[in-house]
Amino acid sequence: MEIASKGQLRLAFLRWAIVTVPFILLLGFASGRLFPSGDENPWYQMLVKPEATPPGWAFPAAWTALYVLLGLALAMIVNARGSRLRRPALILFAVQMAANLAWSPLFFGYHQVSAALLLIVVIFVLALATTFVFARIRKGAAWLMAPYLAWLCFAGILNYQIDRLNPNAETLVPGSSTSQMSV
């Protein structure tokens, strides 16, 4: 059995990263586009937001960076072929990613602020478990998950505050704009 050199391992990692990073970015983009989010969403604009809410441009910038890091972490684990924990790690990652992708439609599309808060807690627990399993395979992959965990905490706090500031958020309906056309 031939042992791969560090150069071969890096090359294999890069090959996987070329696939995993765009794939995770595409999933995140698709989830965010199912329903308008942030400043593009009239319902969201109606909500009272906490003072700590970042400007609208910060969310896509942060999520892009986080999805790149998640894609790199995933590539490291996919490339860890000899690890007996690889399969459970990939399953955990996929489950937490599916939960992550469900948040935007739940919050922005279905206006379920309380349910979205509960989902963030679930995502955090799954992401934390994923991080611990990643650490047993590749410490670097676990470190790449750390900013995501921090952002989930921040997002959870924002979601909680929005829920508290808008107890009737689920029932808010933005005014419909109608235009009259001359015939």
Side-chain angles (χ1 to χ4, degrees), residues 44 49-50 52-54 59 63 66 100 103 107-108 112-125 147-165:
Y44 180 73
K49 292 168 211 62
T53 303
F59 290 99
W63 278 111
L66 292 169
N100 171 300
W103 187 89
F107 185 88
F108 290 109
Q112 298 299 309
V113 179
S114 299
L117 176 58
L118 200 63
L119 183 56
I120 284 183
V121 172
V122 169
I123 296 166
F124 179 81
V125 169
Y148 176 55
L149 292 170
W151 184 262
L152 287 172
C153 290
F154 178 66
I157 291 167
L158 285 178
N159 195 152
Y160 172 77
Q161 291 176 339
I162 288 172
D163 197 25
R164 300 261 307 162
L165 292 169

Side-chain angles (χ1 to χ4, degrees), residues 69-70 73 93 96 127 130-131 134 140-150:
L69 295 175
L70 289 175
F93 183 88
Q96 73 79 31
T130 302
T131 303
F134 276 18
W143 281 110
L144 289 169
M145 295 285 289
Y148 176 55
L149 292 170

Side-chain angles (χ1 to χ4, degrees), residues 9 13 72-73 75-83 85-86 130-145:
L9 290 174
F13 161 73
L72 291 172
M76 290 178 102
I77 299 307
V78 169
N79 194 42
R81 293 193 186 269
S83 173
L85 292 174
R86 179 176 173 248
T130 302
T131 303
F132 282 130
V133 176
F134 276 18
R136 295 190 62 201
I137 300 169
R138 298 270 193 272
K139 290 197 186 327
W143 281 110
L144 289 169
M145 295 285 289

